[in-house]
Amino acid sequence: MEELQNLEIHSELLNVINKMTCSMLEIKQKHPTRIDLITSLDESINSLKKVSLNRFKMQNEIEYLRKLNLEWSLKCLKIEQKLKELEDKSKVDTVNLDYITQLEKENKELNNKIELLITNL
């Protein structure tokens, strides 16, 4: 929808440029001595052409930026998913580490008891 509106605006701008060009040519033919008016119209036409060109360039930049935004959004989503996976893995690793630490503690206690039993025998 937005693209259609942009094309319509651009078409209207080109139509204005063409009408002004025709008017300028008519003035040149009918009133060749009106250099001031002809020059003014020519400058206005050139300004409108620059606006049209800048609009086209800006539209291309906007499309490029939209594409980049989409690509970066996708990358961001993938990173967020990976981060969640890593957070989940970290939680599991933390639980496992706690369990291993507890087992090591129990193992030490058992070793101490065994040593005490051996010493008492």
Side-chain angles (χ1 to χ4, degrees):
M1 187 65 158
E2 182 181 327
E3 187 175 333
L4 186 60
Q5 289 174 334
N6 285 334
L7 289 173
E8 182 180 353
I9 291 169
H10 184 67
S11 175
E12 290 173 9
L13 181 60
L14 292 177
N15 191 29
V16 168
I17 290 171
N18 288 334
K19 286 180 180 179
M20 287 179 70
T21 302
C22 288
S23 296
M24 185 180 72
L25 292 174
E26 285 179 17
I27 292 171
K28 276 185 177 180
Q29 287 177 351
K30 294 179 183 176
H31 308 286
T33 58
R34 291 295 314 265
I35 300 297
D36 59 327
L37 183 57
I38 294 168
T39 302
S40 177
L41 272 171
D42 191 44
E43 288 173 356
S44 296
I45 291 168
N46 287 332
S47 293
L48 286 173
K49 286 179 181 178
K50 286 179 185 176
V51 166
S52 177
L53 180 62
N54 285 339
R55 185 215 145 277
F56 178 74
K57 288 178 181 177
M58 291 300 293
Q59 190 63 32
N60 286 341
E61 289 295 318
I62 289 170
E63 289 302 317
Y64 175 71
L65 290 174
R66 283 183 180 153
K67 181 182 172 192
L68 281 179
N69 186 34
L70 183 62
E71 289 173 6
W72 282 104
S73 294
L74 182 60
K75 287 179 182 181
C76 184
L77 182 61
K78 288 179 180 179
I79 289 170
E80 287 173 351
Q81 289 172 341
K82 186 67 176 175
L83 180 62
K84 181 164 180 7
E85 289 172 10
L86 290 172
E87 286 173 344
D88 291 344
K89 187 176 183 310
S90 173
K91 287 177 185 175
V92 169
D93 288 349
T94 300
V95 168
N96 287 338
L97 180 61
D98 290 346
Y99 179 69
I100 290 171
T101 304
Q102 180 63 31
L103 286 175
E104 287 175 341
K105 182 179 175 186
E106 290 173 5
N107 190 28
K108 270 186 174 179
E109 290 173 4
L110 284 174
N111 281 336
N112 288 340
K113 286 181 182 180
I114 290 172
E115 284 180 18
L116 186 62
L117 280 173
I118 291 174
T119 307
N120 289 337
L121 283 178

